[in-house]
Amino acid sequence: MALGGAGGGGHVRGRRRARKRPLSEINVTPLVDVMLVLLIIFMISAPLLTVGVPVELPKTEASAVETNNEPLSVSIDRDGRIFVGDSETPYDSLAQRLAESADGNGAATERAVFIRADGRAPYQAVARVMARLSATGFTKLNLITDTAAGAPAPVPQTPPVEAPAEG
């Protein structure tokens, strides 16, 4: 009986050749690079996704309005021109244009309408737009404003106390 020694190309018992295993680690560096590029793209494009009519909204202490579906947007610039979305619309065809842009279903007047008016827009233009929309059946009208930075919180109103009647 012969024992295999260390020399001579024999197979050594207990020692196996190392197998090549698949690499099971994920290199996250390319993933981080892609995510940073996407973050920059969204940071640049997000402000551009808002309604395109430049208006300077008045500052108020009101809080944000919660809504379930996409509202319709009417903008009034400082010259009193009316825009539905991004396109200028004459006052006479305002209600028709809003109804067309609302899905075309029968519940178009049930959708919320956001009215964005420039703070220097004539009050008459804003009042006329709101009156026209209300008269044509739009009931959910919302005036959009900016919140004032550093403005004090609104003081809750208490109901007036009636003085006791004398006599």
Side-chain angles (χ1 to χ4, degrees):
M1 184 157 169
L3 294 174
H11 181 68
V12 178
R13 191 172 214 217
R15 227 172 166 201
R16 294 188 176 168
R17 266 179 72 199
R19 291 188 217 161
K20 291 199 175 206
R21 294 184 183 176
L23 183 63
S24 63
E25 297 176 8
I26 297 175
N27 188 0
V28 295
T29 305
L31 177 67
V32 171
D33 290 345
V34 169
M35 294 306 291
L36 287 175
V37 168
L38 288 174
L39 176 68
I40 292 170
I41 289 171
F42 283 118
M43 286 174 55
I44 292 171
S45 64
L48 302 175
L49 297 177
T50 60
V51 178
V53 180
V55 293
E56 186 175 320
L57 298 173
K59 307 279 188 220
T60 63
E61 292 86 21
S63 62
V65 175
E66 301 278 332
T67 182
N68 293 340
N69 56 5
E70 186 67 28
L72 301 170
S73 178
V74 176
S75 301
I76 304 168
D77 68 358
R78 80 171 59 171
D79 299 325
R81 294 182 303 182
I82 303 167
F83 295 84
V84 174
D86 291 336
S87 60
E88 187 171 358
T89 304
Y91 173 76
D92 296 332
S93 62
L94 174 64
Q96 177 187 2
R97 176 83 167 96
L98 263 181
E100 289 173 359
S101 64
D103 297 345
N105 57 11
T109 57
E110 293 298 317
R111 289 195 46 196
V113 179
F114 285 2
I115 300 172
R116 300 174 62 245
D118 194 295
R120 294 171 290 209
Y123 179 73
Q124 178 183 6
V126 178
R128 286 179 63 205
V129 166
M130 291 182 70
R132 172 61 63 99
L133 294 176
S134 179
T136 55
F138 289 95
T139 57
K140 298 178 181 177
L141 303 177
N142 301 293
L143 287 174
I144 304 300
T145 59
D146 276 341
T147 55
V155 179
Q157 296 289 330
T158 58
V161 178
E162 293 183 19
E166 292 182 25

